[in-house]
Amino acid sequence: MSELNTNVVENQLVKERASQRYKDGFVTDIESVTIPPGLNEDTIRLISKKKKEPEWLLEYRLNAYRHWLTMPTPDWAKLNVPEIDFQAISYYSSPQTKAENAPKSLDEVDPRILETYEKLGVPLHERERLAGVVAVDAVFDSVSVGTTFRKELAEVGVIFCSFSEAVQDHPEIVKKYLSTVVSARDNYFAALNAAVFSDGSFVYIPEGVRCPMELSTYFRINANHTGQFERTLIVAEAGSHVSYLEGCTAPMRDENQLHAAVVELVAMDDATIKYSTVQNWYPGDENGKGGIYNFVTKRGNCLGRNSKISWTQVETGSAITWKYPSCILRGDNSSGEFYSVALTNNYQQADTGTKMIHIGENTKSTIISKGISVGKSQNSYRGIVRVAKSADNARNFSQCDSLLIGKECGAHTFPYTESANMTATLEHEATTSKISDDQMNYCLQRGIPEEEAISLIVDGFCKQVFKELPMEFAVEAKALLDVSLEGAIG
Amino acid sequence: MLEIKDIYAKAGDKEILKNLNLSVKPGEVHAIMGPNGSGKSTMGNLLAGMPHVTATSGSVTYQGKDLLQMEPEDRAAEGVFLAFQYPVEIPGVNNMYFLRTAYNAQRKHRGEENLDSASFLRMVKEKIKQLHMSDDLLKRPVNVGFSGGEKKRNEVFQMAVLEPNLAIMDETDSGLDIDALRVVADGVNQLRSPDRSFVIITHYQRLLDYIEPDFVHVLVDGQIVKSGTKKLALELEEQGYGWLED
């Protein structure tokens, strides 16, 4: 498709998408089995039992829980987090049809759930889609309700299934890698996740395999008074390649719901993992009521030589975002990338960024962060680039740009660098700008109305990040920005 | 086409235009000359509806409508084009995408359907060829990293695509070398037509060697103090503006 045609398709999709403020805010009316609110060791035993987990995993959970009890809530981020009552949250909720026996195939999934995903634009059938085939794992509240294209993937040896299934079917891989990147004691929310995690995705790419299609997980919170605590593990063996996408939405509710996920990536020699997120959790209303608290720990380990992990995120949702997708560059010549667009509007708060830990020689990292603050929101970039003594010739390039729209919002940048090796090259660029009157006047004089002009300028501001996304996701991302920018001009 | 009557206008807090009068008929090319600070750019900005310029009295009628009551984007859609003295950079937005957004926004205003992408691309490529400009102008972000000459050429290119009824060119010739000047002038000459009028703001007579104006006006201290034909521009070239100021 030519660039021009692509743009046209994009525009149509963008218009459709932008026609409603938070179009994914509906609730699916379905009976669910939700365990009573409250958190103690029995809750954890119950979750583990529901999942028919082996003893070692229950022990892992309990240890994490006991450690979590000793930890203080983190307060170093530039966020105003109301106290969370962990006893008021239900830690497990699944659609009833799924409660006891998991459906064997997509045909057995409750039609109301299939309809939900259809409505969200994530069809769970295996019809080929125009812009390329994408395999989907659909996580609905605490469980995975179905994963598409498993057979096709299995033919090349790729395992793509829910985390719970992986525990049953591939315990040796799970046991080998679980918590090797994010320890159960890593931080407050990671420890909580280790204790109560329910479902998530599991990906294993065998040696030398280039995954034949994009893999994606679509997280949906539906039930109320619940939290979602998913856990994702992706292992790419030597010389393999995978591109993985995740999307997330939730109903519009006045309550705040907690989402505390952990994602671990492991890349062996010459392996590449590309991980893209379009996060659109319900952000709360224009007065700051409701919305998801998104406290997520994502980290990749470039274990092998020449391995590469690339994070791309577009964060438009959530009332509060606390998220730092990071890379540990252990293998020599390995590289890490972080491309981020975070947009906050109304009373949203985001404190997001990355950590690049250089350990191997000739390791390389790139950080491109674009923060857009609108309304009364606060948007912070927080990042650290650490070069260990062993990391000869490490290189980092960081660019953090902030765009302010309106007078009541804030943008903040907290870049930290620590280098223990004289041969390291670290570059940092940062800008804070406003959409200038000159830019606006120029657009207006060409006949482009104000709202369209803002969208155009913001799109341009984010270009470096959008071009890292697979096309379909780039379209989604641009549309989301347009929706989130609504009301940006008084 | 355009009727400016007894206009007084401020740029910011400062009164710049003082009793300005000008009448432009379809197909005419008017050159506005005058010393620095005489109000030439303010006049262009007033016509385009740039927010920092406000009329305090007088009227501007464009195609029978009260131009001063119209929003800047509506003026654009009704065919008023301003080639900026300092074209603005918009990082990350490619020129063609920008132009298509503008083109279709203007069509929408007029109640017309969007032009489909293939036809737009064909049209744009045709125009750029006619103007002897390079295709890569289309792919680059709007004015980012453009040389002064490229920026001015881009203004002329945008004008060619948007096909305005009234084109105001604010010192489009300043800072151009002779080759760039020719390209710009050639572009304007190609666009001359019985229905299209030009107001060309310039410091120098030399542009008028390439674009032959129907009228030349001298603006001093916010009003037109002398009008004439091309000959007036040549006199100004020889004698400067001093003899017209008191």
Side-chain angles (χ1 to χ4, degrees):
Chain A
M1 217 171 356
S2 76
E3 188 181 3
L4 199 67
N5 284 326
T6 311
N7 277 340
V8 170
V9 173
E10 269 182 34
N11 275 353
Q12 281 160 356
L13 288 167
V14 165
K15 287 217 177 82
E16 282 167 26
R17 210 57 186 71
S19 58
Q20 261 178 305
R21 187 157 287 206
Y22 188 78
K23 85 165 183 50
D24 302 329
F26 61 91
V27 180
T28 306
D29 182 17
I30 193 161
E31 305 74 37
S32 61
V33 176
T34 304
I35 65 173
L39 180 57
N40 52 48
E41 294 201 1
D42 288 342
T43 321
I44 291 162
R45 286 176 208 281
L46 182 60
I47 294 170
S48 189
K49 193 172 159 221
K50 276 184 175 292
K51 296 187 157 303
K52 302 187 176 72
E53 284 176 355
E55 191 59 29
W56 66 265
L57 196 50
L58 175 62
E59 278 308 307
Y60 166 87
R61 286 175 180 277
L62 290 171
N63 284 334
Y65 175 68
R66 288 165 197 151
H67 184 72
W68 177 73
L69 288 174
T70 69
M71 298 174 88
T73 44
D75 60 358
W76 42 263
K78 191 169 171 55
L79 297 171
N80 178 13
V81 185
E83 198 175 335
I84 300 168
D85 180 0
F86 291 96
Q87 298 306 330
I89 298 171
S90 165
Y91 289 84
Y92 189 88
S93 176
S94 77
Q96 195 160 39
T97 45
K98 171 82 194 209
E100 296 308 325
N101 292 305
K104 296 284 178 295
S105 78
L106 289 169
D107 304 338
E108 294 170 40
V109 177
D110 190 305
R112 284 170 296 181
I113 292 178
L114 292 179
E115 210 176 282
T116 301
Y117 283 93
E118 193 79 42
K119 217 165 147 182
L120 293 169
V122 190
L124 293 183
H125 46 65
E126 301 189 340
R127 202 165 60 203
E128 287 208 7
R129 292 212 267 165
L130 191 70
V133 187
V134 180
V136 181
D137 181 25
V139 177
F140 195 87
D141 291 326
S142 305
V143 292
S144 165
V145 292
T147 310
T148 61
F149 292 106
R150 294 170 66 150
K151 214 175 107 237
E152 289 78 357
L153 290 167
E155 278 166 16
V156 290
V158 170
I159 303 168
F160 180 41
C161 62
S162 73
F163 199 91
S164 310
E165 285 168 285
V167 169
Q168 303 300 326
D169 302 342
H170 309 283
E172 67 300 337
I173 310 179
V174 174
K175 202 169 175 178
K176 186 171 172 189
Y177 293 104
L178 179 70
S179 268
T180 58
V181 191
V182 178
S183 114
R185 299 178 163 213
D186 188 86
N187 67 69
Y188 189 78
F189 294 104
L192 176 65
N193 176 285
V196 302
F197 74 88
S198 38
D199 224 336
S201 298
F202 174 81
V203 176
Y204 178 81
I205 315 287
E207 191 171 335
V209 171
R210 193 179 173 92
C211 189
M213 58 182 91
E214 307 266 358
L215 305 181
S216 76
T217 304
Y218 198 94
F219 295 100
R220 176 72 176 170
I221 293 178
N222 189 59
N224 53 6
H225 306 300
T226 59
Q228 193 175 55
F229 305 91
E230 88 270 3
R231 195 161 186 112
T232 291
L233 174 62
I234 299 178
V235 178
E237 291 287 8
S240 68
H241 180 283
V242 63
S243 170
Y244 175 92
L245 326 166
E246 68 174 353
C248 4
T249 57
M252 291 160 76
R253 291 209 174 93
D254 287 347
E255 59 169 322
N256 294 108
Q257 284 182 281
L258 179 62
H259 173 256
V262 170
V263 174
E264 297 180 277
L265 314 181
V266 181
M268 302 305 183
D269 288 355
D270 304 299
T272 299
I273 301 175
K274 188 170 166 54
Y275 193 108
S276 314
T277 305
V278 172
Q279 187 263 108
N280 184 29
W281 294 117
Y282 177 53
D285 69 10
E286 63 276 15
N287 300 312
K289 202 170 170 60
I292 302 291
Y293 292 165
N294 192 35
F295 299 114
V296 173
T297 306
K298 291 181 165 175
R299 200 174 298 153
N301 192 358
C302 282
L303 203 53
R305 287 177 62 85
N306 309 316
S307 57
K308 179 176 172 184
I309 289 177
S310 178
W311 299 99
T312 306
Q313 61 169 19
V314 176
E315 304 279 317
T316 60
S318 298
I320 303 177
T321 297
W322 180 96
K323 183 183 167 191
Y324 316 89
S326 302
C327 297
I328 300 166
L329 304 167
R330 197 174 291 277
D332 290 345
N333 309 322
S334 61
S335 65
E337 294 172 342
F338 175 74
Y339 297 96
S340 170
V341 167
L343 184 148
T344 51
N345 196 353
N346 298 317
Y347 287 88
Q348 279 179 276
Q349 307 175 63
D351 191 297
T352 183
T354 186
K355 288 190 276 190
M356 293 291 176
I357 312 295
H358 293 256
I359 297 169
E361 291 178 9
N362 306 314
T363 47
K364 196 177 125 189
S365 61
T366 305
I367 299 171
I368 308 284
S369 164
K370 305 277 181 175
I372 303 151
S373 322
V374 192
K376 296 183 167 61
S377 67
Q378 296 294 326
N379 200 327
S380 302
Y381 167 81
R382 183 183 304 279
I384 186 161
V385 176
R386 186 179 292 148
V387 179
K389 213 171 162 194
S390 54
D392 285 347
N393 304 314
R395 274 184 299 158
N396 164 266
F397 175 76
S398 300
Q399 182 187 340
C400 304
D401 299 324
S402 308
L403 186 68
L404 298 166
I405 303 176
K407 292 190 174 70
E408 293 173 281
C409 53
H412 317 274
T413 307
F414 305 98
Y416 302 94
T417 47
E418 297 168 12
S419 180
N421 188 310
M422 292 292 285
T423 63
T425 313
L426 308 175
E427 285 177 73
H428 183 88
E429 291 176 7
T431 65
T432 300
S433 54
K434 291 187 161 208
I435 293 182
S436 73
D437 289 346
D438 288 345
Q439 285 176 327
M440 199 48 118
N441 289 340
Y442 194 68
C443 292
L444 291 172
Q445 207 301 306
R446 295 300 181 254
I448 304 170
E450 198 168 7
E451 198 141 330
E452 236 177 301
I454 290 181
S455 152
L456 187 83
I457 294 165
V458 169
D459 184 40
F461 176 75
C462 301
K463 195 57 124 220
Q464 274 173 294
V465 176
F466 284 175
K467 72 180 171 52
E468 297 298 322
L469 289 169
M471 190 203 108
E472 265 192 84
F473 253 41
V475 170
E476 176 87 7
K478 181 165 158 35
L480 272 177
L481 283 197
D482 284 353
V483 175
S484 310
L485 281 168
E486 261 179 43
I489 45 172
Chain B
M1 175 72 69
L2 180 74
E3 198 68 44
I4 302 177
K5 265 203 174 132
D6 308 329
I7 276 288
Y8 287 78
K10 292 197 281 193
D13 295 329
K14 200 171 167 212
E15 183 152 78
I16 305 284
L17 299 179
K18 299 162 190 166
N19 200 20
L20 177 72
N21 286 278
L22 180 70
S23 175
V24 178
K25 294 197 173 58
E28 291 177 351
V29 175
H30 291 246
I32 311 289
M33 301 184 74
N36 281 332
S38 60
K40 302 188 300 291
S41 290
T42 302
M43 175 185 152
N45 288 330
L46 176 77
L47 296 176
M50 296 295 98
H52 64 282
V53 178
T54 43
T56 49
S57 72
S59 68
V60 179
T61 312
Y62 166 73
Q63 293 186 329
K65 292 182 189 163
D66 182 354
L67 189 70
L68 300 179
Q69 290 304 312
M70 292 162 72
E71 294 296 328
E73 65 272 32
D74 297 336
R75 299 183 195 196
E78 305 256 333
V80 176
F81 181 92
L82 172 66
F84 284 73
Q85 185 178 2
Y86 304 107
V88 180
E89 300 185 2
I90 308 179
V93 177
N94 88 43
N95 220 0
M96 181 153 73
Y97 186 67
F98 174 77
L99 204 44
R100 195 159 48 93
T101 306
Y103 188 82
N104 282 330
Q106 294 198 12
R107 284 177 77 104
K108 190 177 166 195
H109 174 90
R110 297 191 295 258
E112 297 164 14
E113 290 285 304
N114 278 0
L115 187 66
D116 71 84
S117 57
S119 313
F120 183 80
L121 184 64
R122 254 199 313 278
M123 184 263 280
V124 158
K125 290 224 157 153
E126 185 58 34
K127 301 261 178 188
I128 210 152
K129 212 170 112 194
Q130 278 170 13
L131 295 171
H132 308 292
M133 296 180 194
S134 154
D135 264 17
D136 88 0
L137 195 67
L138 298 172
K139 293 179 206 134
R140 294 164 63 186
V142 181
N143 295 323
V144 178
F146 283 31
S147 68
E150 283 175 322
K151 284 184 181 175
K152 298 299 176 78
R153 261 183 264 192
N154 193 23
E155 294 293 286
V156 173
F157 166 61
Q158 292 188 15
M159 179 168 76
V161 172
L162 297 172
E163 300 188 318
N165 300 318
L166 173 65
I168 305 143
M169 312 199 65
D170 191 0
E171 297 198 16
T172 305
D173 55 331
S174 62
L176 294 188
D177 62 32
I178 200 75
D179 291 333
L181 188 69
R182 275 204 187 105
V183 172
V184 164
D186 186 39
V188 171
N189 287 329
Q190 285 185 34
L191 288 165
R192 283 179 82 154
S193 89
D195 328 306
R196 184 171 292 132
S197 311
F198 287 86
V199 173
I200 295 177
I201 296 166
T202 181
H203 259 300
Y204 306 106
Q205 191 276 333
R206 88 182 166 153
L207 178 68
L208 306 179
D209 288 340
Y210 299 96
I211 304 171
E212 186 138 349
D214 299 303
F215 301 96
V216 173
H217 309 278
V218 183
L219 193 64
V220 175
D221 195 22
Q223 60 177 313
I224 288 170
V225 294
K226 195 164 179 63
S227 297
T229 59
K230 204 192 154 200
K231 240 179 82 203
L232 176 58
L234 293 168
E235 285 169 37
L236 290 169
E237 181 85 343
E238 276 175 26
Q239 304 177 32
Y241 296 110
W243 60 287
L244 293 166
E245 300 173 68
D246 18 84

